[in-house]
Amino acid sequence: RAVDNAENISATLAAQFLYEATPPDAEHALKPDSWTNGTVKITVDAQDAFSGVRDITLPDGTVVTGDKAEFEVADNGTYDFSIRDNCGNILAYPVEVRGIDLVKPQVVRIQTQRTWDATTNWAKITATDDASGIVAIGWASSEDGAITWQDADSTATFTYRDNGGYYAFAKDAAGN
């Protein structure tokens, strides 16, 4: 209520004030959530049980109104989101992306053994990949010919009958 200089008193007015000091909460998803040789989409879902989510600031500074935002990345790293509720409380929300592999695997060794009867010739191929790891090793009689793949984590052995040029290939978990 209020009182003026003449001592007139106003009617009593009651009001309820709410105070919130709790920042919002969030969770995220990565798509794809496994190794890739492309981009990764980060989806952030925010919640605030008290005043509600006002907006989400993306790592590039773009502000998205509401409680859900998406951001696509092409490199591994930590991406910082900022989530603000309707009372101004802010949650710093870092998201780490580690599943992007753009480096091709390497065939590091081809060891062959030939016999005169041409029945037990073999080639042992060893490959490496420092990021996502080798998942298959292949062997073909020409560079653009059909590749025979073998599931492998670093080494595979192939038998062959004909003399000539052969090509070795390796595939990592990201598809390189």
Side-chain angles (χ1 to χ4, degrees):
R1 61 187 184 162
V3 179
D4 64 13
N5 288 334
E7 303 226 4
N8 296 311
I9 300 173
S10 71
T12 301
L13 178 63
Q16 182 179 14
F17 294 94
L18 299 176
Y19 173 76
E20 179 201 351
T22 305
D25 194 15
E27 55 190 31
H28 71 277
L30 305 176
K31 189 173 182 180
D33 62 357
S34 59
W35 286 104
T36 182
N37 60 7
T39 60
V40 171
K41 184 186 295 185
I42 303 169
T43 302
V44 174
D45 285 306
Q47 309 86 33
D48 187 86
F50 301 106
S51 65
V53 175
R54 180 177 179 176
D55 55 44
I56 300 172
T57 302
L58 304 178
D60 66 359
T62 303
V63 178
V64 177
T65 302
D67 61 1
K68 185 173 184 175
E70 294 180 339
F71 190 70
E72 193 168 71
V73 299
D75 296 308
N76 291 323
T78 300
Y79 294 89
D80 295 318
F81 294 80
S82 179
I83 303 161
R84 181 171 51 165
D85 68 15
N86 287 307
C87 286
N89 299 304
I90 296 174
L91 171 68
Y93 191 74
V95 175
E96 185 176 8
V97 174
R98 299 185 307 188
I100 299 173
D101 177 7
L102 303 176
V103 179
K104 293 179 182 179
Q106 302 248 333
V107 173
V108 293
R109 183 172 184 209
I110 301 174
Q111 176 186 357
T112 59
Q113 177 181 322
R114 295 183 198 174
T115 59
W116 290 110
D117 64 4
T119 58
T120 56
N121 298 335
W122 56 264
K124 181 176 179 181
I125 303 167
T126 304
T128 63
D129 185 82
D130 292 336
S132 60
I134 299 295
V135 294
I137 294 175
W139 180 254
S141 61
S142 68
E143 190 170 0
D144 58 353
I147 301 172
T148 301
W149 289 102
Q150 190 177 113
D151 291 343
D153 59 6
S154 65
T155 304
T157 302
F158 296 88
T159 59
Y160 63 96
R161 297 190 75 112
D162 300 323
N163 290 328
Y166 289 87
Y167 295 85
F169 301 89
K171 188 185 310 182
D172 67 19
N176 297 307

